[in-house]
């Protein structure tokens, strides 16, 4: 599977699972659908960026580091916004799973993604 497509699909699926983990924070349960969709979108964006990086740089360690960085960066952007209901910031609850998602997507795109094949005439 293409590295970008793999990053896109894996980012979306793992992002949705990441968002569903908000269930363990009881005060944000009324916002579950918004959190899941937002995390899924964050995973889509991260997956595309990580897939593009994996296409250019063919190194598993660098792919893992880049995935970790992108996951943490996107998660920080979300965690920096206060919750609409409670007004609190949930840095560790958002950044730890988001970074892990980026790390997994970075590894998978490097290890299992394929490069585009040249067209045969």
């Amino acid at each position: 599977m293409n590295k970008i497509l793999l990053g896109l699909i894996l980012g979306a699926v793992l992002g949705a699972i990441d968002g569903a983990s908000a269930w363990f924070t009881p005060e944000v349960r009324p916002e579950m659908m918004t959190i899941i969709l937002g995390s899924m979108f964050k995973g889509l964006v991260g997956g595309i960026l990580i897939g593009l990086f994996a296409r250019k740089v063919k190194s598993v360690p660098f792919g893992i580091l880049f995935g970790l960085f992108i996951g943490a960066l996107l998660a920080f952007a979300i965690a920096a916004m206060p919750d609409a209901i409670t007004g609190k910031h949930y840095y560790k609850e958002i950044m730890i799973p988001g970074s892990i998602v980026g790390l997994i997507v970075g590894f998978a795109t490097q290890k299992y993604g394929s490069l585009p094949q040249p067209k045969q005439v």
Side-chain angles (χ1 to χ4, degrees):
M1 183 181 294
N2 179 326
K3 289 182 184 245
I4 297 172
L5 183 61
L6 178 62
L8 182 76
I9 293 170
L10 196 56
V13 170
L14 292 177
I17 294 169
D18 168 19
S21 71
W23 179 260
F24 299 109
T25 307
E27 56 266 12
V28 298
R29 284 185 187 163
E31 304 171 79
M32 283 300 294
M33 189 53 70
T34 304
I35 292 170
I36 291 172
L37 291 174
S39 293
M40 190 173 173
F41 181 74
K42 182 178 62 165
L44 286 169
V45 171
I48 291 171
L49 294 173
I50 294 166
L52 286 169
F53 181 84
R55 190 180 244 186
K56 298 286 182 198
V57 179
K58 293 151 189 72
S59 167
V60 173
F62 284 139
I64 291 171
L65 285 174
F66 185 77
L68 181 65
F69 173 74
I70 290 296
L73 183 69
L74 292 172
F76 177 77
I78 301 301
M81 295 184 284
D83 181 58
I85 295 175
T86 64
K88 293 171 44 179
H89 293 272
Y90 296 96
Y91 286 103
K92 70 176 187 215
E93 292 89 344
I94 295 172
M95 290 190 63
I96 292 172
S99 298
I100 292 171
V101 167
L103 186 139
I104 293 169
V105 173
F107 171 77
T109 55
Q110 287 289 351
K111 186 82 172 165
Y112 302 109
S114 62
L115 293 171
Q117 301 300 319
K119 292 186 180 181
Q120 305 239 342
V121 202

